[in-house]
Amino acid sequence: MPERDVTVGQLLLAEYQTVKDEQKTRIGFRDNLLYVTLTVVAAVIAAAAQAKQSEMLLALPPVCVVLGWTYLVNDEKISSIGTYVRDDLAPRLAELAQAEGVFAWESTHRSDTRRRSRKVIQCVIDLLAFCVVPFAGLVVYWAAGQTSPGLLALSVGEALIVVGLGHQVLSYARPFNSPRPSTP
């Protein structure tokens, strides 16, 4: 059986396809997390209202934090893949092919004049879904006046965790932080 030579270019193209497939999968998963969050929030609120049990709202923070953190981690990986393709893979392939503009879409789509405003709006939506809603649930629980010492302590801990997630959402938000350094 003859040996088949694999070129560096073929390896880089295979790597490109692999990371783009991962990125596509992560985008679908990430985007579905918002729908899952909305569904769970609606179910918890409906159950708490129907049962007239405000302590059921204490389920919102852990659920929203877990889903929000998963959303945030996937969003970061999606961005990291884009950065890797733009700053590492594309230049290596362009050099091998002695061409310019390899994978130009990876940079071109980022130059839209409304991109920053979309990113700000997305950050607000993320904060609303994963932080404001569970915090509002805590406020309703506290305002209901049916707190026990144990559940009150739990709710304060949950509030701190929600605030921590909010800080992470803002820390990762692209419109608010400096761009990542390019890889050499």
Side-chain angles (χ1 to χ4, degrees), residues 68-81:
W69 180 251
T70 305
Y71 177 95
L72 191 60
V73 167
N74 272 280
D75 191 58
E76 175 59 21
K77 296 299 178 207
I78 292 162
S79 296
S80 293
I81 289 169

Side-chain angles (χ1 to χ4, degrees), residues 38-97:
L38 291 174
T39 302
V40 170
V41 164
V44 169
I45 290 171
Q50 186 175 17
K52 294 183 171 80
Q53 298 290 322
S54 63
E55 58 270 5
M56 291 176 76
L57 295 173
L58 295 179
L60 287 176
V63 168
C64 288
V65 166
V66 167
L67 292 171
W69 180 251
T70 305
Y71 177 95
L72 191 60
V73 167
N74 272 280
D75 191 58
E76 175 59 21
K77 296 299 178 207
I78 292 162
S79 296
S80 293
I81 289 169
T83 300
Y84 174 70
V85 168
R86 269 189 321 278
D87 297 346
D88 191 326
L89 207 50
R92 289 192 292 161
L93 269 169
E95 184 181 334
L96 279 173

Side-chain angles (χ1 to χ4, degrees), residues 54 72 77 102 111 113 175 178:
S54 63
L72 191 60
K77 296 299 178 207
V102 176
S111 63
T113 57
S178 61

